[in-house]
Amino acid sequence: MEDPVRTTSLLHVAESLRTGATGVREHTDATLRRIADVDRAVRAFVDEPERTERLRAAAQDVTDRHPAPDGRPALYGVPVGVKDILHVDGLPTRAGSTLPPEELAGPQATAVSRLLAAGALIAGKTVTAEFAVAAPGPTRNPHHLDHTPGGSSSGSAAAVAAGLVPLALGTQTIASLIRPAAYCGVVGYKPTHGRVPLDGVLPTSPSYDTVGTLTATAADAALAASVLCDDWRPERAGADRPVLAVPEGPYLGLAEPEALTAFDRQVTALRDAGYEIRTVPVFDDFEQDAFSLFVVNLYELARAHAGLFDRHADRYDPRTAEAILQGRTAQESDYADALKARAAFRDRLADATHRHGVDLWITPAATGPAPRGLDNAGDSVMSLPWSGAGLPIVSVPAGRSTAGLPLGLQCAGRTGEDERLLHWARDLESTLSAPTA
């Protein structure tokens, strides 16, 4: 088997295919060979016996529709992975479960249709935790095959880290893009909640659910965002450097010592590079805030699975079933109170952001490096407040643990300012990847 770690730049692949420097059929065959060789160990993709025939036919179709380089769409011929809770015409949706696929069927997701309209090829469905909740799939971390890739967008993160595809769609409810991106050493981008349509996506918690991307670089994420996001305007990015803020309070103490030590190094590197970094008190009552956010999550999860769970409870993994049953114990009044608490939390965070002149909040992207084993996909708490507030978030690679596992820096921007977030992420990424003296 070839080296299971080999990211490829979406920008470079897309340009090579659009200009004709690389042929679509040639690149498609190379993708199929890489999947056949490496994915036997990594297991990022859902098994698909007819993948070769389907993907070659799609490559021929996009070539026939765009014979001349002039006017080829942005993702012409680019193979992408799609998390298996998004519907794709012609491919079943199983959502990492053993439920009958016909129970989960539905119209193709708008996010998928936007990729196809931009010329992309669907390389296949990527593995997800069951229903994007808590029960991990079989995917392994390409950096260390006996460690988790994170969840629930495990297959999407691993597929990009292993160089199977340069772009994969994932989703995030709490930390399902950011954490696996950090564990696998790639860039995870969660847009502002609602910036990418959710139709055609199996719901987990609609108040939080967001379609996002896994790519090799922040610049790659910006290209994907320009295709996926509503009303994308690159001119909004601006040129000024952001003011960074570290949240002071009990929240950061939930990270492991190794993550905090690495975060201190990252903050020092950014300060030495000329960034203004402020320490801002926030989340004084984080435990209560977290409780309200999780009540919303579990209540909506239980409602999303009401009919399915009634018909197929015995087919659910016990961890997923436990979450659904816990959500069923919440009353409508509990949910209404939690929504009010969430709105108040969001307002307090927005007030602190504006009052202290914060452009980006920075934190560890996960509580630590990827845990050993495949049964534990890691802790979601580092992304909880930012996802709970619906903010755009990006995780960029930021060094390695003492065991050589990737670490990430999480950056949360202001609502709707995704263009600025991804523009700034490029320099943050470059600064944190620079060699130290």
Side-chain angles (χ1 to χ4, degrees):
M1 183 181 73
E2 298 177 10
D3 185 346
V5 179
R6 189 187 72 187
T7 57
T8 56
S9 166
L10 173 63
L11 280 171
H12 294 163
V13 170
E15 181 180 9
S16 182
L17 290 167
R18 282 198 313 271
T19 62
T22 303
V24 173
R25 176 61 184 266
E26 173 191 349
H27 190 75
T28 298
D29 284 347
T31 297
L32 289 165
R33 288 193 299 271
R34 179 74 178 170
I35 292 173
D37 179 46
V38 174
D39 207 39
R40 289 176 296 175
V42 175
R43 302 188 68 181
F45 278 100
V46 175
D47 290 338
E48 184 192 343
E50 306 301 322
R51 188 190 318 276
T52 295
E53 293 77 8
R54 179 186 60 78
L55 197 50
R56 283 178 173 168
Q60 187 62 55
D61 178 65
V62 77
T63 302
D64 291 344
R65 285 189 287 112
H66 303 284
D70 290 347
R72 282 174 175 166
L75 301 181
Y76 169 78
V78 174
V80 302
V82 177
K83 184 176 180 177
D84 194 23
I85 65 166
L86 284 85
H87 295 311
V88 177
D89 288 348
L91 294 175
T93 299
R94 293 189 170 87
S97 77
T98 62
L99 270 68
E102 56 269 21
E103 286 271 39
L104 308 178
Q108 180 165 278
T110 291
V112 173
S113 296
R114 288 180 178 180
L115 291 179
L116 293 171
L121 310 178
I122 306 302
K125 290 292 198 77
T126 54
V127 171
T128 174
E130 185 184 60
F131 293 112
V133 182
T139 307
R140 298 171 179 269
N141 191 318
H143 291 268
H144 285 272
L145 294 176
D146 56 349
H147 285 251
T148 179
S152 62
S153 301
S154 50
S156 294
V160 172
L164 307 181
V165 289
L167 167 64
L169 291 187
T171 63
Q172 178 152 312
T173 303
I174 301 299
S176 297
L177 283 158
I178 298 302
R179 186 171 74 255
Y183 284 175
C184 292
V186 298
V187 171
Y189 162 55
K190 185 205 85 71
T192 296
H193 181 257
R195 191 91 194 256
V196 179
L198 276 172
D199 61 290
V201 182
L202 294 180
T204 301
S205 177
S207 289
Y208 304 139
D209 293 345
T210 306
V211 176
T213 62
L214 285 306
T215 57
T217 71
D220 294 339
L223 173 59
S226 72
V227 170
L228 291 166
C229 289
D230 288 340
D231 193 30
W232 185 263
R233 298 184 187 179
E235 67 272 14
R236 291 173 175 160
D240 296 337
R241 258 194 172 181
V243 173
L244 308 180
V246 174
E248 182 182 50
Y251 157 78
L252 270 188
L254 298 171
E256 299 166 11
E258 186 167 21
L260 292 175
T261 299
F263 182 59
D264 286 343
R265 290 197 301 267
Q266 295 157 13
V267 169
T268 298
L270 293 170
R271 188 173 280 119
D272 289 346
Y275 280 92
E276 180 181 353
I277 302 178
R278 300 173 182 173
T279 301
V280 178
V282 71
F283 310 144
D284 290 338
D285 194 4
F286 185 72
E287 185 174 342
Q288 183 57 48
D289 292 334
F291 176 79
S292 298
L293 294 172
F294 276 123
V295 168
V296 174
N297 182 8
L298 294 176
Y299 181 93
E300 293 184 352
L301 172 68
R303 271 58 192 173
H305 283 264
L308 284 173
F309 192 75
D310 288 342
R311 293 191 297 275
H312 302 289
D314 60 325
R315 290 184 175 230
Y316 279 71
D317 183 279
R319 288 163 288 190
T320 313
E322 181 183 4
I324 292 170
L325 290 171
Q326 188 175 352
R328 285 188 169 188
T329 65
Q331 303 299 310
E332 188 171 347
S333 59
D334 299 326
Y335 177 58
D337 289 344
L339 285 176
K340 291 177 184 176
R342 182 211 179 199
F345 166 78
R346 189 168 48 199
D347 290 344
R348 291 196 307 273
L349 180 55
D351 178 67
T353 300
H354 289 284
R355 187 157 34 88
H356 292 276
V358 176
D359 292 309
L360 296 181
W361 296 91
I362 58 171
T363 76
T367 55
R372 181 181 293 274
L374 302 182
D375 289 334
N376 176 12
D379 194 317
S380 64
V381 71
M382 286 292 104
S383 293
L384 176 62
W386 323 110
S387 292
L391 302 181
I393 317 170
V394 65
S395 173
V396 296
R400 290 181 176 269
S401 71
T402 54
L405 289 157
L407 298 168
L409 179 75
Q410 177 176 235
C411 310
R414 299 187 185 200
T415 300
E417 295 189 359
D418 301 55
E419 291 90 343
R420 302 181 81 194
L421 171 67
L422 291 181
H423 174 73
W424 288 329
R426 300 183 195 190
D427 189 63
L428 294 168
E429 175 186 60
S430 175
T431 300
L432 294 173
S433 65
T436 56

Tab-separated table of all heavy atoms in Angstrom, residues 89-134:
chain	number	residue	atom	x	y	z
A	89	ASP	N	-28.510	11.601	-6.198
A	89	ASP	CA	-29.284	10.804	-7.157
A	89	ASP	C	-28.445	9.633	-7.663
A	89	ASP	O	-27.289	9.812	-8.069
A	89	ASP	CB	-29.717	11.663	-8.340
A	89	ASP	CG	-30.810	12.661	-7.978
A	89	ASP	OD1	-31.389	12.529	-6.885
A	89	ASP	OD2	-31.059	13.585	-8.784
A	90	GLY	N	-29.022	8.438	-7.610
A	90	GLY	CA	-28.338	7.250	-8.117
A	90	GLY	C	-27.536	6.502	-7.078
A	90	GLY	O	-27.054	5.395	-7.357
A	91	LEU	N	-27.365	7.081	-5.888
A	91	LEU	CA	-26.640	6.405	-4.816
A	91	LEU	C	-27.542	6.312	-3.592
A	91	LEU	O	-28.170	7.300	-3.217
A	91	LEU	CB	-25.353	7.154	-4.455
A	91	LEU	CG	-24.261	7.209	-5.517
A	91	LEU	CD1	-23.101	8.088	-5.036
A	91	LEU	CD2	-23.756	5.812	-5.855
A	92	PRO	N	-27.592	5.141	-2.949
A	92	PRO	CA	-28.435	5.034	-1.757
A	92	PRO	C	-27.863	5.829	-0.594
A	92	PRO	O	-26.658	6.053	-0.505
A	92	PRO	CB	-28.417	3.528	-1.448
A	92	PRO	CG	-27.130	3.040	-2.042
A	92	PRO	CD	-26.897	3.884	-3.270
A	93	THR	N	-28.735	6.285	0.292
A	93	THR	CA	-28.325	6.923	1.537
A	93	THR	C	-28.552	5.930	2.668
A	93	THR	O	-29.689	5.519	2.915
A	93	THR	CB	-29.138	8.199	1.793
A	93	THR	OG1	-28.914	9.120	0.719
A	93	THR	CG2	-28.736	8.854	3.110
A	94	ARG	N	-27.471	5.556	3.345
A	94	ARG	CA	-27.575	4.595	4.453
A	94	ARG	C	-27.268	5.242	5.798
A	94	ARG	O	-27.600	4.706	6.839
A	94	ARG	CB	-26.651	3.407	4.210
A	94	ARG	CG	-27.076	2.552	3.015
A	94	ARG	CD	-26.274	1.260	2.932
A	94	ARG	NE	-26.816	0.349	1.945
A	94	ARG	CZ	-26.501	0.355	0.661
A	94	ARG	NH1	-25.632	1.242	0.198
A	94	ARG	NH2	-27.038	-0.520	-0.177
A	95	ALA	N	-26.564	6.370	5.793
A	95	ALA	CA	-26.298	7.133	7.013
A	95	ALA	C	-25.577	6.309	8.075
A	95	ALA	O	-25.782	6.508	9.271
A	95	ALA	CB	-27.598	7.708	7.578
A	96	GLY	N	-24.734	5.387	7.647
A	96	GLY	CA	-23.976	4.587	8.599
A	96	GLY	C	-24.831	3.652	9.411
A	96	GLY	O	-24.404	3.169	10.462
A	97	SER	N	-26.045	3.353	8.940
A	97	SER	CA	-26.996	2.545	9.704
A	97	SER	C	-27.312	1.256	8.967
A	97	SER	O	-26.895	1.051	7.823
A	97	SER	CB	-28.289	3.326	9.925
A	97	SER	OG	-29.078	3.340	8.741
A	98	THR	N	-28.073	0.385	9.632
A	98	THR	CA	-28.544	-0.840	8.997
A	98	THR	C	-30.015	-0.739	8.609
A	98	THR	O	-30.623	-1.742	8.250
A	98	THR	CB	-28.343	-2.048	9.937
A	98	THR	OG1	-29.118	-1.845	11.128
A	98	THR	CG2	-26.878	-2.219	10.299
A	99	LEU	N	-30.578	0.464	8.668
A	99	LEU	CA	-31.973	0.628	8.265
A	99	LEU	C	-32.116	0.433	6.757
A	99	LEU	O	-31.159	0.683	5.996
A	99	LEU	CB	-32.487	2.015	8.655
A	99	LEU	CG	-33.121	2.144	10.042
A	99	LEU	CD1	-32.074	1.954	11.124
A	99	LEU	CD2	-33.809	3.484	10.192
A	100	PRO	N	-33.282	0.003	6.289
A	100	PRO	CA	-33.485	-0.144	4.845
A	100	PRO	C	-33.263	1.188	4.134
A	100	PRO	O	-33.856	2.206	4.529
A	100	PRO	CB	-34.952	-0.594	4.738
A	100	PRO	CG	-35.288	-1.150	6.077
A	100	PRO	CD	-34.486	-0.381	7.069
A	101	PRO	N	-32.431	1.245	3.091
A	101	PRO	CA	-32.160	2.523	2.414
A	101	PRO	C	-33.411	3.218	1.895
A	101	PRO	O	-33.457	4.448	1.861
A	101	PRO	CB	-31.229	2.110	1.261
A	101	PRO	CG	-30.608	0.837	1.713
A	101	PRO	CD	-31.635	0.135	2.546
A	102	GLU	N	-34.436	2.442	1.539
A	102	GLU	CA	-35.648	3.075	1.023
A	102	GLU	C	-36.346	3.905	2.096
A	102	GLU	O	-37.097	4.839	1.785
A	102	GLU	CB	-36.611	2.020	0.470
A	102	GLU	CG	-37.013	0.934	1.439
A	102	GLU	CD	-36.100	-0.287	1.399
A	102	GLU	OE1	-34.949	-0.160	0.927
A	102	GLU	OE2	-36.548	-1.359	1.856
A	103	GLU	N	-36.087	3.599	3.366
A	103	GLU	CA	-36.654	4.403	4.453
A	103	GLU	C	-35.983	5.778	4.549
A	103	GLU	O	-36.532	6.701	5.145
A	103	GLU	CB	-36.488	3.676	5.786
A	103	GLU	CG	-37.425	2.502	5.990
A	103	GLU	CD	-38.731	2.928	6.627
A	103	GLU	OE1	-39.237	4.012	6.279
A	103	GLU	OE2	-39.232	2.176	7.484
A	104	LEU	N	-34.797	5.893	3.993
A	104	LEU	CA	-34.010	7.127	4.127
A	104	LEU	C	-33.942	7.909	2.821
A	104	LEU	O	-33.284	8.955	2.767
A	104	LEU	CB	-32.586	6.789	4.589
A	104	LEU	CG	-32.473	5.914	5.839
A	104	LEU	CD1	-31.001	5.635	6.146
A	104	LEU	CD2	-33.145	6.567	7.033
A	105	ALA	N	-34.586	7.433	1.780
A	105	ALA	CA	-34.446	8.039	0.450
A	105	ALA	C	-35.073	9.425	0.403
A	105	ALA	O	-35.962	9.766	1.194
A	105	ALA	CB	-35.088	7.136	-0.593
A	106	GLY	N	-34.587	10.232	-0.539
A	106	GLY	CA	-35.145	11.563	-0.728
A	106	GLY	C	-34.494	12.262	-1.903
A	106	GLY	O	-33.545	11.752	-2.503
A	107	PRO	N	-34.991	13.436	-2.271
A	107	PRO	CA	-34.429	14.187	-3.402
A	107	PRO	C	-32.977	14.590	-3.134
A	107	PRO	O	-32.568	14.779	-1.991
A	107	PRO	CB	-35.334	15.417	-3.496
A	107	PRO	CG	-36.565	15.074	-2.723
A	107	PRO	CD	-36.140	14.129	-1.661
A	108	GLN	N	-32.246	14.756	-4.196
A	108	GLN	CA	-30.835	15.127	-4.104
A	108	GLN	C	-30.652	16.451	-3.370
A	108	GLN	O	-31.409	17.408	-3.555
A	108	GLN	CB	-30.243	15.224	-5.506
A	108	GLN	CG	-28.769	15.616	-5.545
A	108	GLN	CD	-28.166	15.358	-6.888
A	108	GLN	OE1	-27.778	14.241	-7.212
A	108	GLN	NE2	-28.089	16.372	-7.729
A	109	ALA	N	-29.629	16.498	-2.530
A	109	ALA	CA	-29.337	17.709	-1.765
A	109	ALA	C	-28.919	18.843	-2.695
A	109	ALA	O	-28.185	18.636	-3.659
A	109	ALA	CB	-28.226	17.435	-0.761
A	110	THR	N	-29.369	20.052	-2.377
A	110	THR	CA	-28.958	21.228	-3.160
A	110	THR	C	-27.448	21.388	-3.162
A	110	THR	O	-26.851	21.767	-4.182
A	110	THR	CB	-29.628	22.495	-2.599
A	110	THR	OG1	-31.027	22.437	-2.871
A	110	THR	CG2	-29.050	23.754	-3.220
A	111	ALA	N	-26.799	21.102	-2.034
A	111	ALA	CA	-25.343	21.217	-1.981
A	111	ALA	C	-24.681	20.304	-3.006
A	111	ALA	O	-23.703	20.686	-3.670
A	111	ALA	CB	-24.839	20.883	-0.577
A	112	VAL	N	-25.216	19.099	-3.165
A	112	VAL	CA	-24.681	18.170	-4.160
A	112	VAL	C	-24.956	18.689	-5.564
A	112	VAL	O	-24.077	18.659	-6.442
A	112	VAL	CB	-25.282	16.768	-3.965
A	112	VAL	CG1	-24.879	15.830	-5.096
A	112	VAL	CG2	-24.860	16.192	-2.612
A	113	SER	N	-26.152	19.185	-5.791
A	113	SER	CA	-26.487	19.716	-7.122
A	113	SER	C	-25.590	20.889	-7.490
A	113	SER	O	-25.207	21.052	-8.663
A	113	SER	CB	-27.961	20.152	-7.152
A	113	SER	OG	-28.825	19.044	-6.960
A	114	ARG	N	-25.225	21.709	-6.507
A	114	ARG	CA	-24.322	22.830	-6.786
A	114	ARG	C	-22.930	22.339	-7.172
A	114	ARG	O	-22.282	22.914	-8.067
A	114	ARG	CB	-24.264	23.766	-5.577
A	114	ARG	CG	-25.545	24.561	-5.398
A	114	ARG	CD	-25.512	25.502	-4.192
A	114	ARG	NE	-26.765	26.256	-4.117
A	114	ARG	CZ	-27.059	27.155	-3.192
A	114	ARG	NH1	-26.177	27.426	-2.227
A	114	ARG	NH2	-28.213	27.791	-3.203
A	115	LEU	N	-22.454	21.288	-6.527
A	115	LEU	CA	-21.172	20.720	-6.920
A	115	LEU	C	-21.230	20.184	-8.351
A	115	LEU	O	-20.322	20.420	-9.156
A	115	LEU	CB	-20.772	19.594	-5.968
A	115	LEU	CG	-20.400	19.964	-4.543
A	115	LEU	CD1	-20.060	18.704	-3.752
A	115	LEU	CD2	-19.224	20.934	-4.504
A	116	LEU	N	-22.288	19.454	-8.664
A	116	LEU	CA	-22.417	18.891	-10.006
A	116	LEU	C	-22.540	19.986	-11.055
A	116	LEU	O	-21.951	19.885	-12.141
A	116	LEU	CB	-23.625	17.957	-10.058
A	116	LEU	CG	-23.513	16.680	-9.219
A	116	LEU	CD1	-24.846	15.945	-9.181
A	116	LEU	CD2	-22.421	15.770	-9.767
A	117	ALA	N	-23.280	21.037	-10.758
A	117	ALA	CA	-23.409	22.150	-11.701
A	117	ALA	C	-22.066	22.826	-11.939
A	117	ALA	O	-21.837	23.416	-13.008
A	117	ALA	CB	-24.426	23.161	-11.178
A	118	ALA	N	-21.166	22.752	-10.947
A	118	ALA	CA	-19.833	23.333	-11.091
A	118	ALA	C	-18.860	22.368	-11.755
A	118	ALA	O	-17.659	22.659	-11.835
A	118	ALA	CB	-19.289	23.745	-9.724
A	119	GLY	N	-19.376	21.208	-12.212
A	119	GLY	CA	-18.547	20.278	-12.971
A	119	GLY	C	-17.928	19.152	-12.173
A	119	GLY	O	-17.171	18.349	-12.727
A	120	ALA	N	-18.232	19.064	-10.876
A	120	ALA	CA	-17.614	18.041	-10.045
A	120	ALA	C	-18.149	16.654	-10.370
A	120	ALA	O	-19.256	16.495	-10.903
A	120	ALA	CB	-17.839	18.353	-8.570
A	121	LEU	N	-17.362	15.644	-10.035
A	121	LEU	CA	-17.759	14.244	-10.141
A	121	LEU	C	-17.906	13.681	-8.730
A	121	LEU	O	-17.045	13.933	-7.883
A	121	LEU	CB	-16.706	13.428	-10.900
A	121	LEU	CG	-16.221	13.971	-12.241
A	121	LEU	CD1	-15.142	13.056	-12.814
A	121	LEU	CD2	-17.380	14.110	-13.221
A	122	ILE	N	-18.944	12.936	-8.474
A	122	ILE	CA	-19.136	12.342	-7.148
A	122	ILE	C	-18.338	11.047	-7.094
A	122	ILE	O	-18.705	10.036	-7.706
A	122	ILE	CB	-20.624	12.076	-6.843
A	122	ILE	CG1	-21.449	13.354	-7.043
A	122	ILE	CG2	-20.770	11.538	-5.422
A	122	ILE	CD1	-21.009	14.531	-6.202
A	123	ALA	N	-17.215	11.074	-6.366
A	123	ALA	CA	-16.384	9.874	-6.252
A	123	ALA	C	-17.081	8.803	-5.434
A	123	ALA	O	-16.806	7.610	-5.593
A	123	ALA	CB	-15.039	10.223	-5.620
A	124	GLY	N	-17.975	9.210	-4.545
A	124	GLY	CA	-18.725	8.248	-3.754
A	124	GLY	C	-19.207	8.849	-2.455
A	124	GLY	O	-18.934	10.004	-2.134
A	125	LYS	N	-19.948	8.047	-1.707
A	125	LYS	CA	-20.410	8.428	-0.386
A	125	LYS	C	-19.301	8.145	0.631
A	125	LYS	O	-18.646	7.098	0.572
A	125	LYS	CB	-21.664	7.632	-0.012
A	125	LYS	CG	-22.918	8.007	-0.799
A	125	LYS	CD	-23.379	9.408	-0.436
A	125	LYS	CE	-24.814	9.677	-0.830
A	125	LYS	NZ	-25.789	9.068	0.075
A	126	THR	N	-19.114	9.080	1.566
A	126	THR	CA	-18.119	8.888	2.608
A	126	THR	C	-18.793	8.442	3.903
A	126	THR	O	-19.935	8.779	4.182
A	126	THR	CB	-17.316	10.172	2.858
A	126	THR	OG1	-18.224	11.253	3.123
A	126	THR	CG2	-16.449	10.511	1.653
A	127	VAL	N	-18.045	7.679	4.675
A	127	VAL	CA	-18.571	7.074	5.899
A	127	VAL	C	-18.917	8.150	6.920
A	127	VAL	O	-18.207	9.149	7.068
A	127	VAL	CB	-17.537	6.099	6.490
A	127	VAL	CG1	-17.963	5.606	7.879
A	127	VAL	CG2	-17.329	4.915	5.542
A	128	THR	N	-20.008	7.929	7.636
A	128	THR	CA	-20.438	8.818	8.707
A	128	THR	C	-20.716	7.991	9.953
A	128	THR	O	-21.023	6.790	9.863
A	128	THR	CB	-21.725	9.575	8.320
A	128	THR	OG1	-22.207	10.335	9.437
A	128	THR	CG2	-22.826	8.626	7.890
A	129	ALA	N	-20.612	8.609	11.111
A	129	ALA	CA	-21.188	8.006	12.302
A	129	ALA	C	-22.674	7.777	12.042
A	129	ALA	O	-23.299	8.499	11.262
A	129	ALA	CB	-21.000	8.922	13.507
A	130	GLU	N	-23.260	6.767	12.685
A	130	GLU	CA	-24.658	6.451	12.441
A	130	GLU	C	-25.532	7.687	12.638
A	130	GLU	O	-25.553	8.282	13.724
A	130	GLU	CB	-25.121	5.337	13.382
A	130	GLU	CG	-26.546	4.881	13.077
A	130	GLU	CD	-27.039	3.841	14.065
A	130	GLU	OE1	-27.081	4.160	15.284
A	130	GLU	OE2	-27.384	2.737	13.636
A	131	PHE	N	-26.197	8.082	11.556
A	131	PHE	CA	-27.081	9.248	11.550
A	131	PHE	C	-26.367	10.513	12.051
A	131	PHE	O	-27.004	11.432	12.571
A	131	PHE	CB	-28.351	8.991	12.357
A	131	PHE	CG	-29.233	7.952	11.735
A	131	PHE	CD1	-29.429	6.723	12.345
A	131	PHE	CD2	-29.848	8.191	10.514
A	131	PHE	CE1	-30.230	5.753	11.759
A	131	PHE	CE2	-30.648	7.227	9.918
A	131	PHE	CZ	-30.841	6.003	10.547
A	132	ALA	N	-25.042	10.542	11.897
A	132	ALA	CA	-24.244	11.708	12.307
A	132	ALA	C	-24.407	12.013	13.791
A	132	ALA	O	-24.403	13.182	14.195
A	132	ALA	CB	-24.577	12.935	11.457
A	133	VAL	N	-24.521	10.974	14.602
A	133	VAL	CA	-24.726	11.177	16.041
A	133	VAL	C	-23.483	10.741	16.806
A	133	VAL	O	-22.525	11.503	16.917
A	133	VAL	CB	-25.997	10.453	16.538
A	133	VAL	CG1	-26.226	10.710	18.030
A	133	VAL	CG2	-27.220	10.921	15.750
A	134	ALA	N	-23.446	9.487	17.296
A	134	ALA	CA	-22.378	9.126	18.228
A	134	ALA	C	-21.687	7.805	17.928
A	134	ALA	O	-20.595	7.572	18.446
A	134	ALA	CB	-22.948	9.063	19.653
